Amino acid sequence: MLTSYRLGIDLGGTSAKIAIVTGRSRIVREASVTTAGQPRPAAVVDAIAAAARSLVAGVKIAGVGVGVAGDIDFRRGLIRVSPNLGWRNVPLAALLKKRLKRNVIVDNDANVAAWGLFKTQAPAGVSNMIAVTLGTGVGGGVVIDGKLHRGATGTAGEIGHMTMVPEGRPCNCGNRGCLETYAGGFYIVRHVRERLAAGDASSLRKLFDTDPDQISPLSIYQAAKKGDSFARGIWAEAGAVLGTALGGLVYVLNPERVVLTGGVAQAKDFLLAPIRRIWRARAFRVPMRAAKVVVAENTAHIGVIGASLLEPRP
Amino acid sequence: MLTSYRLGIDLGGTSAKIAIVTGRSRIVREASVTTAGQPRPAAVVDAIAAAARSLVAGVKIAGVGVGVAGDIDFRRGLIRVSPNLGWRNVPLAALLKKRLKRNVIVDNDANVAAWGLFKTQAPAGVSNMIAVTLGTGVGGGVVIDGKLHRGATGTAGEIGHMTMVPEGRPCNCGNRGCLETYAGGFYIVRHVRERLAAGDASSLRKLFDTDPDQISPLSIYQAAKKGDSFARGIWAEAGAVLGTALGGLVYVLNPERVVLTGGVAQAKDFLLAPIRRIWRARAFRVPMRAAKVVVAENTAHIGVIGASLLEPRP
């Protein structure tokens, strides 16, 4: 049974989480390494490798998977660019393989989350799934016929930067009207602050006047829960744009399941209700009824678990 | 070599085309059956079967594939609904199998065209492809990892009814702002007639005043070719909406190739130029550069050829 352990690494701009994961996706040991303020990839890789080596002592590891925020060349195990880490063209798989003496698979963190959610939470009968990570930004991963879809350059799943409004809100990516500018935590919070500054009435005003930094997806959710109509409107708008984007993808990909995850997804029904309302109004009922949209549960360790489940390409 | 022949059937609202196709996708014999004004499925199926039987006399046929305009349940070989034929819940595969004594595979005509274009025209190295059929309406088909993607209910590929403008132009499907209302021949022609009726200046006016029915995708293309700026603006608008829709799908699916086909696609560079302009402005260069967008060539028989190439599901 020892051979079924795998090592999962979730490499982010603040820290790298490292875990030994069983064949049933249970974490048996874990560690963490700080990455913030550490721009030298070699130093971070050394620290991760050292932590991993002490974790795996006495345990047989079948493989190593890493999820990284950024543009990843899955085939070559290369980080093309990771703005969170401040890295560019880092051959992470090769660097880690040299230190750990094991094959290493590297993929984008949203792909890894999608794969983890598919492998550990998708009910039987689901073989096509879209996962949307609603955090500060919006990422995504697509599972087709039971496999994580990478595409030509490993960039598949960039749902957050689909153009929803050609002349819409400016996005940090450089374009306008990306889905992320309507459904990403950074933009939702900024939009709420702007509207409060402009005088919109809301129970969030006291918080805003005390300290604008207190405005967060969580506080906007809590205000909505207490009946604040401004906050409810914010979620209705985010949900409507998400519903339109995902409704289009359901027409094109016809999945059995669409999963929302990440901090912003914790608004749950305030997002799901407008999404479902838009889906119910779509003319073609068959694909819309076949696609169940849910918010993922128990996602605290999905980064390391998803990474541990990465498979070498065939 | 005789065993490599296959029968391809392209069943539309006007006629059914039937062809014997070689393993190298050459048509060796063909026939046609009228379907217009024939609402009884059994009569149409009998006529197709009779024509097919006389075509295949003396030839060994390995399999039969049919492409049908409409909502098709690929797994069961069932036409859920075909507005063009006026049919609903017709078990076409079973009806034809009984008459032809051969396995029959049925799929949506846009899927069939996508598959035919992929199998006969995609260069080596293309394994992910989006095909868009720009005819009276807009259909589509998606190839993922070298396979035609059907999805949960066989409805995958409904690109034409992605919502591009939530409160946009009314679509015959019942929704508003579908891609089809900006890039489908029916809507482009209607929009041109409306604008000419409202007094817009164009070299198309003479044609319009003589007979509004002369306004067609072809005449709008010809006017654009001669430098008519109104006609060029029409294509620029259609191309821009197509570029936005397909740009989003390139972000999500990261294909090597996007193929436009159908009558409206014959506007070629008047559509390709705005699509490429929008793609070049997208922030993430890697997937956009990897995706080549082209207009398909030699598509006269792609319906029967694509149908002949349909494979039984694994």
Side-chain angles (χ1 to χ4, degrees):
Chain A
M1 286 301 289
L2 282 174
T3 53
S4 69
Y5 289 117
R6 296 182 58 87
L7 195 69
I9 303 174
D10 180 6
L11 174 52
T14 310
S15 69
K17 289 166 197 139
I18 309 160
I20 296 180
V21 184
T22 70
R24 290 168 168 254
S25 297
R26 307 250 173 262
I27 292 175
V28 290
R29 291 183 198 166
E30 53 187 324
S32 181
V33 164
T34 301
T35 56
Q38 186 53 272
R40 276 186 56 240
V44 171
V45 174
D46 281 341
I48 290 173
R53 269 194 300 261
S54 67
L55 274 189
V56 304
V59 176
K60 200 166 173 188
I61 295 291
V64 182
V66 192
V68 188
D71 177 12
I72 311 301
D73 182 337
F74 163 76
R75 286 189 182 79
R76 296 194 288 166
L78 174 80
I79 301 177
R80 283 201 198 93
V81 55
S82 170
N84 301 26
L85 287 158
W87 292 6
R88 191 174 279 275
N89 291 320
V90 174
L92 184 65
L95 293 174
L96 273 173
K97 183 179 180 180
K98 203 170 150 188
R99 287 159 175 84
L100 297 175
K101 316 288 178 207
R102 281 173 187 89
N103 272 329
V104 177
I105 306 164
V106 180
D107 207 337
N108 168 275
D109 60 346
N111 274 358
V112 164
W115 188 236
L117 292 171
F118 176 73
K119 293 290 276 185
T120 65
Q121 299 189 11
V126 173
S127 55
N128 303 288
M129 194 184 98
I130 300 169
V132 187
T133 306
L134 299 167
T136 309
V138 175
V142 174
V143 174
I144 300 279
D145 274 342
K147 286 186 298 182
L148 189 55
H149 175 61
R150 266 96 178 197
T153 58
T155 6
E158 272 301 348
I159 291 168
H161 297 276
M162 296 178 75
T163 304
M164 298 312 296
V165 184
E167 303 298 324
R169 299 184 187 166
C171 184
N172 287 336
C173 81
N175 291 132
R176 278 182 171 272
C178 297
L179 173 60
E180 180 166 306
T181 66
Y182 298 90
F186 172 82
Y187 297 91
I188 290 175
V189 166
R190 185 165 77 177
H191 183 64
V192 165
R193 287 185 190 140
E194 284 171 0
R195 283 184 52 183
L196 290 171
D200 279 45
S202 167
S203 63
L204 287 162
R205 173 153 309 284
K206 208 189 295 179
L207 212 58
F208 178 70
D209 288 342
T210 313
D211 176 8
D213 285 348
Q214 299 276 337
I215 302 298
S216 67
L218 180 62
S219 60
I220 303 167
Y221 164 68
Q222 287 166 336
K225 215 172 159 187
K226 285 179 193 145
D228 185 74
S229 62
F230 168 84
R232 290 192 171 190
I234 294 295
W235 292 120
E237 184 185 31
V241 182
L242 266 172
T244 299
L246 294 171
L249 292 180
V250 167
Y251 269 8
V252 175
L253 295 177
N254 191 198
E256 293 88 5
R257 202 170 179 84
V258 174
V259 181
L260 311 183
T261 186
V264 169
Q266 303 319 307
K268 291 191 178 163
D269 284 342
F270 291 112
L271 284 175
L272 291 174
I275 291 172
R276 290 183 179 135
R277 192 176 317 121
I278 281 180
W279 285 17
R280 276 195 301 270
R282 305 299 295 136
F284 300 153
R285 303 282 171 88
V286 170
M288 298 320 297
R289 280 185 189 149
K292 188 173 180 187
V293 56
V294 298
V295 171
E297 308 280 350
N298 304 320
T299 55
H301 302 284
I302 204 69
V304 283
I305 292 171
S308 80
L309 291 164
L310 288 174
E311 291 161 7
R313 69 194 179 106
Chain B
M1 287 304 291
L2 279 174
T3 51
S4 69
Y5 288 117
R6 297 183 57 87
L7 195 69
I9 302 174
D10 180 6
L11 174 53
T14 309
S15 70
K17 288 166 198 138
I18 309 159
I20 296 180
V21 184
T22 70
R24 289 166 171 257
S25 297
R26 307 249 174 262
I27 293 174
V28 290
R29 291 183 199 167
E30 53 187 324
S32 180
V33 164
T34 300
T35 56
Q38 187 54 272
R40 278 186 54 241
V44 171
V45 173
D46 281 340
I48 290 173
R53 269 194 301 263
S54 67
L55 274 190
V56 304
V59 176
K60 201 166 172 188
I61 294 291
V64 182
V66 192
V68 188
D71 177 12
I72 311 301
D73 182 337
F74 164 75
R75 286 189 181 78
R76 296 195 287 166
L78 174 80
I79 300 177
R80 286 200 196 93
V81 54
S82 171
N84 300 27
L85 287 157
W87 293 5
R88 191 174 279 275
N89 291 322
V90 175
L92 184 65
L95 293 174
L96 273 174
K97 184 180 180 178
K98 203 169 150 187
R99 287 161 176 82
L100 297 176
K101 316 287 179 211
R102 281 172 187 92
N103 271 328
V104 177
I105 306 164
V106 180
D107 208 336
N108 167 275
D109 60 346
N111 274 357
V112 164
W115 188 236
L117 292 171
F118 176 74
K119 294 289 276 186
T120 64
Q121 298 190 11
V126 173
S127 55
N128 303 288
M129 194 184 98
I130 300 168
V132 187
T133 307
L134 299 167
T136 309
V138 175
V142 174
V143 174
I144 300 280
D145 275 342
K147 287 187 297 184
L148 189 56
H149 175 60
R150 266 96 177 197
T153 59
T155 5
E158 272 302 347
I159 292 168
H161 297 277
M162 296 177 75
T163 304
M164 299 311 297
V165 184
E167 304 299 325
R169 298 183 187 167
C171 183
N172 288 335
C173 80
N175 291 132
R176 279 182 171 271
C178 298
L179 173 59
E180 180 166 306
T181 65
Y182 297 90
F186 172 82
Y187 297 91
I188 290 174
V189 165
R190 185 166 76 177
H191 183 63
V192 165
R193 286 184 190 141
E194 283 170 1
R195 284 184 51 183
L196 290 171
D200 279 44
S202 167
S203 63
L204 287 162
R205 170 152 311 285
K206 208 189 294 179
L207 212 59
F208 178 71
D209 287 344
T210 314
D211 176 8
D213 284 348
Q214 300 275 336
I215 303 296
S216 67
L218 179 63
S219 60
I220 303 167
Y221 164 68
Q222 287 166 336
K225 215 172 160 188
K226 284 179 193 146
D228 185 74
S229 62
F230 167 84
R232 290 190 171 192
I234 295 295
W235 292 119
E237 184 185 31
V241 182
L242 267 173
T244 299
L246 294 172
L249 292 180
V250 168
Y251 269 7
V252 175
L253 296 177
N254 191 198
E256 293 87 7
R257 203 171 178 84
V258 174
V259 181
L260 311 182
T261 186
V264 168
Q266 303 319 307
K268 293 193 177 162
D269 284 341
F270 291 113
L271 284 174
L272 291 174
I275 291 172
R276 290 182 180 137
R277 195 176 315 121
I278 281 181
W279 285 18
R280 275 195 301 270
R282 305 299 296 139
F284 300 153
R285 303 282 170 87
V286 170
M288 300 319 299
R289 281 186 187 148
K292 188 173 179 186
V293 56
V294 297
V295 170
E297 308 281 349
N298 304 318
T299 56
H301 300 103
I302 204 69
V304 284
I305 291 171
S308 80
L309 290 164
L310 287 174
E311 292 161 8
R313 69 192 179 107

